[in-house]
Amino acid sequence: MYQKLLNKSNNLRSSFENIPTCIRRFEGAYGDHTFDRIGFNIVPFNSGAMEHATNIAYPLYAISNGGKTNETLFAHELAHHWWGNTITCRTQEDMWLNEGWASYSGRLFLEAVYGKARYNEDIEDNHRDVLQFAHIRDGDVLPVSGIGHANTYGSHVYNKGADMVHTLRGMMGDEDFFEACASFQSEFKFKDVSTNDMKTHFQQFTPLNLSGFFDQWVKEKGFAHFDILWVLKTDDTYQVRIKQTPRFNEVTYRNVVATVTAFSKDFERFDSQIIIMNDEQNFDVACPFEPVSWFFDFDDKISDAVTTDMVIVKPGGVKVDMPQSLMSDIWVNNPTDDSVMLRIEHNWAPADGTYGKPAGAVLSKERYWNVGGIWGDDVNVTAEIVYSGLQSNSLIFGYLDKELIRITEDSLVLLYRPNASSAWAEATDYIKNSGSLLDKRGIIEVSNLKKGQYTLAMYDAGLASVKEVSRSDYGFKLFPNPAQDELTIELQSKVMGTTEITNLEGKVVYSMDWKGNEWKQKLDISHLPAGTYFVGIISENLAYNAKRFVVE
C-alpha cells in the first residue's frame, strides 16, 4: 500500500512539474492570482475536470503514469481562476469568454514552457480541427458569441473561441493585448461580463479599430478568408490587391489588421501592415528590394480559413512533412547549392473562377491550394493530394470534398493556374489513382508541383450539382474493430449489392456479393496486411460512404 501511494505521489509530482511556469505565465498575462491558494484535488473522473476556485477537481487518469501528455488540462483549469472565476460570462451565449479563453490559455502555457514553435503548432492543429469539423460536431455553422443552449459547451465555444483569442492577439500585438487582458481582469473582478464589455475595454489599449473583429469574427458565423489577387510594380512601390472569399458566409470583413510579406531570392524579408476594409482592395507596399514571393499573413497571426505549412530545404533530396497543407508524400529534389523555401497554403474556401475555367468544369466550393516559396527551375517538387467525399471524422479523409464528389470521382480533375488572376486550366504532370470509382476517394500524384494555385473540379456539371444520391444509408454495423482474421458486416435492411473493401490508396482489396436473403456476412480478412481500410456496400452502381476499420 505504501509503495502504491509513493508511486502515485511521484506521478503527481512529475505530471505537475511545469505548473510553477504556468502560474507565472498566467499572472504575467492576466494579472495577480485572485484567490488565496491554488489547489488540485485528484478524483476518479473518466474524462474532463472542474475548475473550482482554489480546489480544482482533476482526473486521476491525467497523472496515472507521471507523464505530461495531459498537462494542458491543468493549464486550462487553472486559467479558469481568471476566465470564469475572477470574471465570468453574463449569459450562456457568451460562454466563449470562459471556455474559449481557458482553451487558448493552454496554448499560452505551451509557449511559456516549450517555446513559440510549440505554441504555433498547437494553434494550427486546433485551427485545422475547427475548420474541418466544428460545424459537423455542433450540427451547424455557428458564431462564437451568441451561441444557443445546445452548443454552450461545443466546439465553436471551446476551439473556435481559442482561435479568436489568438486572432485578437495577432491583430493587437503582444504588448497591447496582454496589457488589455490584465486590465480587464482588474476592472471587472468578481463581475459578470459580455463580449461588448470586452470590446469596449480592449479598445482603450489600441489605436486600431476592434469593431470589425468583435462584430464579425466573433459575432458572425463562418470564417474570414483573404488571398493575394495580383501584384503590380509601379514607379517606386508594389501595388498588392487583396480579395475576400469567406467560408460559410458572405460577410465583408472590415478593419482587419493583417500583414503582407515579400521575400527576395536571397531570403530577405519585408513586412507591411495593412488594414482591410473592402471585398477587394489595393495596397501600396514600399518594398526596398525586388521580391520573388508574396504572402498574406505569413506568420499565421489571424485565424482565417487557411491552414499552412512552410519548410526550408537544404541542397539534396528530402521528404518533408506538411500535414496542414493537406498534401502528403512531398519530396523536394534540390540539386542546387542554395536552400529552398516551400510554403503550401490549404484554403478552406471556394475556388474563384472569375478569370476563367475549362468549359463544363465545376470548381470546388470547399478548398484550393496556394503553392509558393523560393526555388528555381532546377528544383523538382512532387506531392500527393488525397481527395475524399467521405463524411468521416478522419483528418485525412473527412469532409474535404463532400459537395464536389457526390456520385463518382470518374470526372474529377486537378486544375492549375500560375496566380489568382489567371484562368484555370487542367494541370499537367499528374495522375489520378482512383481505385474503386464508387468509394468517393483516391489519391492524385503530382510529379512537378509548380508555384501557383491548384484546385479540384468536376468536368461533368451534373455530377457536382445533383443532390446527394449515395446509397450509404443502409445502416450496417461492422465488428470487431480492430479486427484480425474475420470481419462481420450486419445489415439493418436487406440489399442486393457487393461489399467492397479498399485500402488507404483507394484500391479494392476484397469484394463479396450479397445474396437477397442475407442479413449478415463474415469476411475472411486474414490475407490483409495490418493497417487501415474502408468498407462500403455498392448497390445499383451508386457511390457509398465508407466506414473505416483497422486490421491488427
Side-chain angles (χ1 to χ4, degrees):
M1 175 63 74
Y2 172 77
Q3 187 60 46
K4 288 183 178 179
L5 290 174
L6 180 61
N7 289 340
K8 287 183 178 180
S9 178
N10 289 336
N11 288 342
L12 178 65
R13 187 175 292 108
S14 176
S15 296
F16 276 75
E17 179 183 355
N18 289 319
I19 198 165
T21 303
C22 184
I23 295 170
R24 289 192 297 269
R25 184 64 189 105
F26 287 175
E27 286 199 314
Y30 306 140
D32 292 341
H33 183 252
T34 298
F35 305 96
D36 59 0
R37 72 181 188 125
I38 294 173
F40 285 82
N41 181 33
I42 305 303
V43 294
F45 286 176
N46 292 323
S47 64
M50 188 62 200
E51 64 269 18
H52 307 297
T54 75
N55 196 31
I56 295 168
Y58 197 71
L60 180 61
Y61 76 83
I63 63 161
S64 59
N65 61 4
K68 295 180 173 61
T69 55
N70 294 294
E71 61 184 351
T72 52
L73 179 58
F74 74 61
H76 177 108
E77 300 307 326
L78 179 57
H80 277 308
H81 276 204
W82 286 266
W83 304 100
N85 295 341
T86 297
I87 64 169
T88 194
C89 59
R90 185 167 300 139
T91 65
Q92 67 176 30
E93 288 80 7
D94 267 339
M95 183 59 73
W96 82 284
L97 295 172
N98 291 23
E99 298 298 349
W101 278 81
S103 296
Y104 174 78
S105 297
R107 281 90 192 182
L108 195 63
F109 159 78
L110 292 175
E111 181 181 8
V113 176
Y114 302 107
K116 193 60 178 288
R118 182 68 181 88
Y119 166 91
N120 288 334
E121 179 185 350
D122 211 69
I123 287 288
E124 196 75 357
D125 284 345
N126 177 67
H127 185 47
R128 157 82 177 276
D129 182 78
V130 169
L131 287 166
Q132 193 167 356
F133 295 120
H135 58 293
I136 303 301
R137 296 195 190 105
D138 288 352
D140 201 355
V141 181
L142 302 172
V144 169
S145 173
I147 209 80
H149 176 74
N151 298 108
T152 301
Y153 294 97
S155 291
H156 285 81
V157 168
Y158 280 74
N159 302 330
K160 191 181 178 185
D163 240 2
M164 295 301 97
V165 180
H166 168 74
T167 300
L168 182 58
R169 177 184 177 181
M171 288 189 183
M172 292 183 68
D174 280 11
E175 183 177 352
D176 291 346
F177 172 76
F178 287 117
E179 186 179 358
C181 288
S183 176
F184 190 66
Q185 291 285 330
S186 175
E187 176 72 19
F188 292 95
K189 185 175 181 179
F190 296 141
K191 296 179 182 178
D192 55 67
V193 296
S194 68
T195 295
N196 286 337
D197 292 330
M198 176 173 281
K199 171 184 172 182
T200 300
H201 194 83
F202 274 55
Q203 186 62 74
Q204 301 174 37
F205 294 86
T206 177
L208 304 169
N209 189 334
L210 297 180
S211 62
F213 169 78
F214 283 100
D215 294 344
Q216 296 168 346
W217 294 71
V218 173
K219 294 184 179 182
E220 293 280 357
K221 65 181 183 180
F223 297 85
H225 176 266
F226 311 92
D227 204 355
I228 295 177
L229 193 59
W230 45 252
V231 179
L232 295 177
K233 178 73 166 64
T234 60
D235 291 338
D236 54 357
T237 64
Y238 291 86
Q239 194 172 81
V240 181
R241 188 167 183 84
I242 304 294
K243 181 174 182 177
Q244 300 193 36
T245 50
R247 175 175 170 86
F248 297 141
N249 67 46
E250 297 180 356
V251 172
T252 297
Y253 287 81
R254 304 186 189 280
N255 292 297
V256 178
V257 182
T259 302
V260 171
T261 298
F263 282 94
S264 74
K265 62 182 180 62
D266 299 319
F267 288 77
E268 187 177 2
R269 174 175 173 170
F270 180 79
D271 292 329
S272 178
Q273 187 181 80
I274 60 174
I275 299 178
I276 299 172
M277 298 296 295
N278 302 309
D279 290 329
E280 291 192 27
Q281 192 170 349
N282 293 345
F283 298 93
D284 291 328
V285 179
C287 183
F289 52 76
E290 183 177 353
V292 296
S293 290
W294 291 86
F295 300 98
F296 179 86
D297 190 31
F298 184 82
D299 295 318
D300 299 321
K301 290 185 176 182
I302 61 175
S303 295
D304 57 346
V306 180
T307 53
T308 71
D309 273 308
M310 190 276 291
V311 293
I312 302 294
V313 180
K314 295 180 179 180
V318 63
K319 183 179 180 181
V320 296
D321 184 29
M322 305 182 76
Q324 307 301 358
S325 74
L326 276 78
M327 289 190 183
S328 58
D329 204 29
I330 302 171
W331 285 87
V332 180
N333 301 295
N334 178 16
T336 72
D337 295 329
D338 300 319
S339 294
V340 162
M341 176 203 287
L342 173 63
R343 178 178 170 91
I344 304 177
E345 302 170 348
H346 183 270
N347 297 267
W348 301 79
D352 181 13
T354 301
Y355 293 89
K357 60 186 179 66
V362 177
L363 304 181
S364 172
K365 296 178 181 179
E366 297 163 288
R367 58 183 184 144
Y368 67 94
W369 291 263
N370 287 335
V371 178
I374 303 172
W375 76 84
D377 294 338
D378 293 336
V379 176
N380 176 254
V381 182
T382 65
E384 291 184 352
I385 295 172
V386 172
Y387 64 84
S388 171
L390 299 185
Q391 301 175 51
S392 163
N393 62 1
S394 165
L395 274 174
I396 300 174
F397 296 100
Y399 295 94
L400 298 175
D401 308 300
K402 176 180 175 292
E403 297 299 317
L404 191 66
I405 306 175
R406 296 171 180 256
I407 302 178
T408 172
E409 65 259 40
D410 186 46
S411 297
L412 186 73
V413 293
L414 181 68
L415 302 184
Y416 167 80
R417 61 183 180 181
N419 54 62
S421 57
S422 299
W424 292 101
E426 187 167 356
T428 58
D429 304 321
Y430 85 92
I431 298 173
K432 184 177 70 176
N433 296 319
S434 299
S436 168
L437 291 177
L438 300 176
D439 66 348
K440 299 196 287 189
R441 64 186 182 89
I443 292 175
I444 291 174
E445 299 176 5
V446 185
S447 59
N448 182 24
L449 194 69
K450 297 183 289 187
K451 298 172 190 173
Q453 294 189 336
Y454 289 86
T455 194
L456 299 172
M458 280 286 190
Y459 260 130
D460 186 340
L463 296 180
S465 61
V466 298
K467 293 184 177 180
E468 179 71 56
V469 296
S470 167
R471 295 296 179 88
S472 60
D473 297 329
Y474 303 120
F476 68 90
K477 299 179 181 178
L478 60 90
F479 55 88
N481 189 11
Q484 291 184 342
D485 297 326
E486 187 176 80
L487 182 71
T488 298
I489 308 294
E490 188 175 285
L491 293 174
Q492 293 181 7
S493 60
K494 294 180 181 180
V495 64
M496 293 292 292
T498 301
T499 297
E500 182 177 82
I501 296 178
T502 52
N503 62 16
L504 284 176
E505 287 73 40
K507 297 178 181 177
V508 179
V509 296
Y510 186 99
S511 65
M512 181 175 179
D513 291 335
W514 283 84
K515 297 176 182 178
N517 60 351
E518 282 186 326
W519 291 84
K520 181 184 294 186
Q521 283 184 340
K522 291 188 176 181
L523 311 182
D524 179 7
I525 58 171
S526 59
H527 64 289
L528 296 181
T532 300
Y533 296 85
F534 291 83
V535 61
I537 300 174
I538 302 172
S539 180
E540 303 175 29
N541 288 325
L542 294 175
Y544 58 82
N545 283 317
K547 292 187 177 182
R548 184 171 49 159
F549 72 98
V550 174
V551 175
E552 291 184 331

